[in-house]
């Protein structure tokens, strides 16, 4: 079936998704991009939602083979921001009209961490109540796998969205990038628990993993659909040299352009298939190309997460090589980002939590 015929469909099956993800001529890519943009505009509107991203700790109990802050990487300084440092980053976002923040860290399962984070969430809520944000900023957490009790505490403290990437929904691929102590089933169960606890749930994968096929990516999208997820955070896999997967640097460098293009296509096809969810245009896209985040928005993403982590610790939160704005203060780029969003005819939503249309519909608001 040709691309034009597939794009006319209302529902897509696995073969359609594989065909869409396999295109590599510019005209077909542009047709898919334009179709995704049009679904975005009709389902969600032209607003781009900002979340101020605070990478508040790089301590991690996990040893994911791809990740620069994995437990076994002895070459980085470990840090955890204080309550005051986190609150001051969050206030910076709130003052600029970012209605939401994302608190991200490595994964730590000790009780001290859970207490600390629940306290931080509660404090952010009370510190950011204003006329414009009567319920404070919206809080998304991205802190990995936890018990139901911990998730409940975070939710009760006031967080209402949670990002937990599945990384790869295929069991073999998942196993090839993680130590055996981590397993796919537990990750899926965490996603289900998060939903039961009341969170809006986001997930995502890395695109361009060694051994990943287009069928894997299509199945990832079907997984997102089956799990009825509200948000996606997804980006290209980028090598970090001090990790076990650092040996794939050549593989990665030879395929960079293709991986970037496939990551954009994944955004577009997710938009076509999943329609009314939020999709983030991630820092990893921007790492591969300076206008990568804007490209993500043009392919159907509607969320941007500018880093507001204090500049002093940012060099210790390198999930992959080449992460941008390391020495710079990302805050300097605020005006630049506003300008480039306007240049692609999108508007910036201010003082709004920016929940996905899907989550709003589900809650009957
Ligand atoms: N390349 C791209 N993304 C990465 N992440 C971790 N390491 C890498 C890497 N080398 C992503 C994972 C994780 C998120 C916080 O960062 O998908 O869920």
């Amino acid at each position: 079936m040709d691309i034009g015929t597939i794009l006319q469909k209302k529902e897509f099956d696995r073969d359609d998704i594989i065909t869409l993800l396999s295109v590599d001529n510019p005209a077909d890519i542009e047709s898919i991009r334009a179709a995704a943009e049009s679904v975005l505009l009709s389902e969600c509107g032209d607003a781009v939602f900002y979340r101020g991203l605070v990478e508040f700790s790089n301590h991690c109990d996990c040893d994911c083979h791809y990740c620069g802050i994995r437990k076994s990487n002895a070459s980085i300084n470990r840090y955890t921001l204080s309550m005051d440092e986190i609150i001051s980053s969050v206030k910076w976002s709130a003052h600029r009209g970012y209605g939401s923040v994302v608190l991200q860290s490595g994964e730590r399962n000790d009780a001290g961490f859970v207490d600390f984070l629940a306290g931080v969430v509660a404090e952010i809520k009370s510190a950011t109540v204003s006329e414009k944000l009567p319920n404070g900023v919206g809080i998304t957490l991205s802190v990995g796998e936890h018990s139901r009790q911990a998730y409940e505490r975070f939710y009760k403290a006031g967080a209402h969205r949670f990002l937990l990437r599945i990384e790869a929904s295929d069991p073999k691929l998942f196993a090839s990038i993680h130590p055996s102590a981590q397993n796919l089933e537990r990750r899926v169960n965490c996603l289900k628990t998060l939903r039961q606890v009341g969170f809006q749930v986001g997930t995502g994968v890395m695109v361009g993993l060694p051994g990943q096929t287009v069928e894997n990516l299509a199945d990832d999208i079907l997984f997102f659909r089956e799990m009825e997820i509200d948000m996606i955070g997804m980006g290209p896999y980028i090598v970090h040299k001090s990790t076990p997967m650092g040996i794939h640097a050549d593989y990665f460098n030879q395929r960079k352009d293709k991986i970037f293009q496939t990551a954009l296509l994944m955004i577009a096809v997710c938009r076509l298939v999943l329609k009314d969810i939020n999709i983030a245009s991630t820092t990893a896209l921007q790492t591969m190309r300076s206008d990568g985040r804007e490209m993500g928005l043009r392919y159907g993403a509607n969320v941007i997460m500018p880093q507001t982590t204090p500049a002093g610790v940012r060099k210790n939160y390198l999930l992959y090589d080449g992460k941008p704005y390391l020495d710079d203060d990302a805050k300097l780029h605020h005006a630049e980002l506003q300008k480039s969003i306007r240049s692609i005819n999108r508007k910036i939503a201010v003082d709004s939590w920016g929940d996905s249309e899907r989550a709003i519909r589900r809650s009957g608001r």
Side-chain angles (χ1 to χ4, degrees), residues 66-68 104-105 142 164-167 187 204-206 233 235-240 243 284 317 319-321:
Y66 45 85
C67 182
Q104 190 181 86
S105 71
S142 173
L164 179 65
R165 289 193 185 178
I166 194 78
E167 313 296 0
R187 184 72 52 108
V205 295
M206 286 175 286
Y237 162 65
I238 301 175
V239 169
H240 187 295
T243 61
Y317 204 87
L319 305 180
Y320 41 81
D321 292 332

Side-chain angles (χ1 to χ4, degrees), residues 135-265:
N135 295 309
V137 293
I139 302 178
T140 305
L141 298 182
S142 173
V143 296
E145 295 180 6
H146 287 273
S147 65
R148 177 183 294 267
Q149 289 79 355
Y151 286 151
E152 278 169 351
R153 280 193 65 194
F154 300 148
Y155 187 76
K156 284 194 186 120
H160 81 289
R161 291 187 292 240
F162 202 106
L163 296 172
L164 179 65
R165 289 193 185 178
I166 194 78
E167 313 296 0
S169 67
D170 177 78
K172 280 206 197 96
L173 188 57
F174 185 97
S176 76
I177 59 172
H178 294 107
S180 55
Q182 281 169 257
N183 76 71
L184 183 64
E185 199 186 340
R186 198 168 62 223
R187 184 72 52 108
V188 173
N189 283 334
C190 281
L191 289 170
K192 290 180 180 161
T193 305
L194 285 162
R195 168 58 52 70
Q196 288 159 6
V197 166
F199 282 101
Q200 293 171 27
V201 179
T203 190
V205 295
M206 286 175 286
V207 179
L209 290 166
Q212 185 181 54
T213 63
V214 74
E215 286 79 12
N216 290 148
L217 292 173
D219 289 334
D220 290 336
I221 297 181
L222 295 175
F223 172 83
F224 304 153
R225 181 160 76 184
E226 197 181 297
M227 295 290 288
E228 297 184 19
I229 57 103
D230 300 297
M231 342 177 262
I232 290 183
M234 183 174 60
Y237 162 65
I238 301 175
V239 169
H240 187 295
K241 52 189 172 327
S242 326
T243 61
M245 280 164 64
I247 50 163
H248 295 297
D250 288 345
Y251 174 96
F252 172 76
N253 285 325
Q254 284 154 16
R255 287 168 181 74
K256 252 185 179 159
D257 291 346
K258 177 75 183 155
I259 292 172
F260 183 76
Q261 190 55 254
T262 307
L264 292 175
L265 264 182

